[in-house]
Amino acid sequence: MKFIQAISVALVILGNTSGEAKKISAKEVILKSIEAVGGKAACKRFESAHAVGELKMFADDKIIAVHFESWCVPPLLLRREFTKEEFGKQVKSIYVLNKDNAWYKHGKNPTIPITGSDFERYKSTCADILFLSLYRIVEDEQFKICLLDSVLKNDEQCYQVLVRRDGNSDKTLCFSMKTYLLTSDSEVKKINGSDQNEKVEVVFSEYRKFGDKMIPCKTIQYTDSKKVAVCKLKSITPIEKPDDNLFKKPE
């Protein structure tokens, strides 16, 4: 009987030890994810980048196909060009953010300023690019992180990390338990010009290596669980020295 009890105790101890070994902190998950994509230096290098790809937007039972180019130099320089067919012709829309100013030009129409909540949205786009470098989350005191229960996402078990940010809504990041790659991020945002909220989720997949960094080539955005956009990245190149002309008011 004593021998059986001793074996039982030993198994409990071994079981607890095994359980302890499997524990991981939110910070460790993020650090492992940074290493999985190529390390901090690679993340920093791709914060300023020129990207080219294809975008499909879903609205009112219609699919709008768009070719895009984007130049981003955080924290406050951004240019995006979207080209799509209108009445049988290819028409380009240009959005530019330059520090305290932003503009929009569609086709041959006059350039107009971007203000109010739209201006803040473009500023937050740059902020999100810095945020998704991930290393800032574990280095900047404005971010508070904690590990939530694991979740099954797209048939893959994932870690969930809740990130609280000063002056911003909370984000929930999901990381693959196998690869530590970021698989999705989600947050609840206020609808522009409204007191109502909406849940926005972006799903990342099809990781591919560009230079020394692994980058997701496919992103799908959902708003309140409804698919609203699919983005396919074709190329991305770090911007070593930005061209100031790119971020001038479009004429």
Side-chain angles (χ1 to χ4, degrees):
M1 178 67 79
K2 287 184 179 180
F3 176 77
I4 293 173
Q5 288 176 338
I7 291 294
S8 299
V9 171
L11 289 173
V12 169
I13 292 171
L14 285 172
N16 288 341
T17 302
S18 175
E20 290 294 328
K22 290 180 181 177
K23 284 186 178 179
I24 190 169
S25 69
K27 182 176 180 179
E28 287 172 318
V29 171
I30 293 172
L31 288 174
K32 285 180 179 290
S33 184
I34 293 167
E35 288 307 309
V37 298
K40 177 179 173 180
C43 291
K44 291 184 74 172
R45 190 156 36 253
F46 276 87
E47 286 176 343
S48 296
H50 170 227
V52 178
E54 305 297 328
L55 180 66
K56 286 184 179 178
M57 297 181 289
F58 305 89
D60 300 325
D61 297 324
K62 294 180 180 179
I63 300 176
I64 303 170
V66 181
H67 173 81
F68 76 86
E69 281 195 75
S70 173
W71 296 260
C72 186
V73 182
L76 289 174
L77 294 176
L78 176 68
R79 179 187 180 97
R80 286 184 162 176
E81 298 182 357
F82 299 94
T83 304
K84 64 184 179 74
E85 185 175 307
E86 292 183 3
F87 305 108
K89 295 182 180 180
Q90 294 296 310
V91 180
K92 182 183 292 185
S93 298
I94 302 171
Y95 300 79
V96 175
L97 169 69
N98 189 327
K99 299 176 183 176
D100 295 325
N101 296 289
W103 306 275
Y104 166 65
K105 181 175 177 60
H106 179 69
K108 296 181 180 180
N109 295 331
T111 301
I112 60 174
I114 297 174
T115 59
S117 60
D118 289 329
F119 176 72
E120 294 302 320
R121 181 162 53 87
Y122 271 86
K123 283 175 64 178
S124 69
T125 298
C126 284
D128 278 346
I129 288 171
L130 293 177
F131 176 86
L132 289 174
S133 291
L134 298 181
Y135 70 90
R136 296 172 186 271
I137 298 173
V138 293
E139 294 181 359
D140 192 330
E141 290 185 356
Q142 73 159 303
F143 299 110
K144 310 298 179 189
I145 59 177
C146 68
L147 194 66
L148 304 176
D149 290 338
S150 62
V151 65
L152 189 65
K153 284 264 187 181
N154 299 319
D155 299 323
E156 188 170 12
Q157 202 68 28
C158 296
Y159 294 109
Q160 285 193 111
V161 176
L162 177 67
V163 184
R164 291 197 162 153
R165 309 173 288 167
D166 291 347
N168 290 280
S169 56
D170 295 349
K171 267 186 180 285
T172 301
L173 307 180
C174 288
F175 300 88
S176 165
M177 283 188 169
K178 290 182 179 179
T179 64
Y180 290 97
L181 295 175
L182 180 67
T183 60
S184 71
D185 81 60
S186 61
E187 64 182 303
V188 176
K189 294 182 173 181
K190 279 199 174 298
I191 300 173
N192 284 341
S194 168
D195 290 331
Q196 294 181 316
N197 294 327
E198 60 185 7
K199 182 181 178 182
V200 177
E201 180 179 27
V202 180
V203 176
F204 306 95
S205 62
E206 298 183 12
Y207 275 82
R208 183 176 140 205
K209 198 164 188 179
F210 293 88
D212 54 356
K213 187 183 179 188
M214 294 285 288
I215 293 175
C217 288
K218 182 178 180 180
T219 58
I220 305 176
Q221 181 176 324
Y222 298 87
T223 299
D224 290 334
S225 300
K226 184 178 180 180
K227 182 165 66 175
V228 295
V230 176
C231 178
K232 285 273 196 174
L233 182 68
K234 288 188 171 181
S235 69
I236 184 166
T237 309
I239 296 175
E240 303 297 340
K241 186 178 179 182
D243 180 355
D244 291 338
N245 291 321
L246 283 170
F247 307 104
K248 288 182 177 179
K249 178 181 177 181
E251 301 296 342

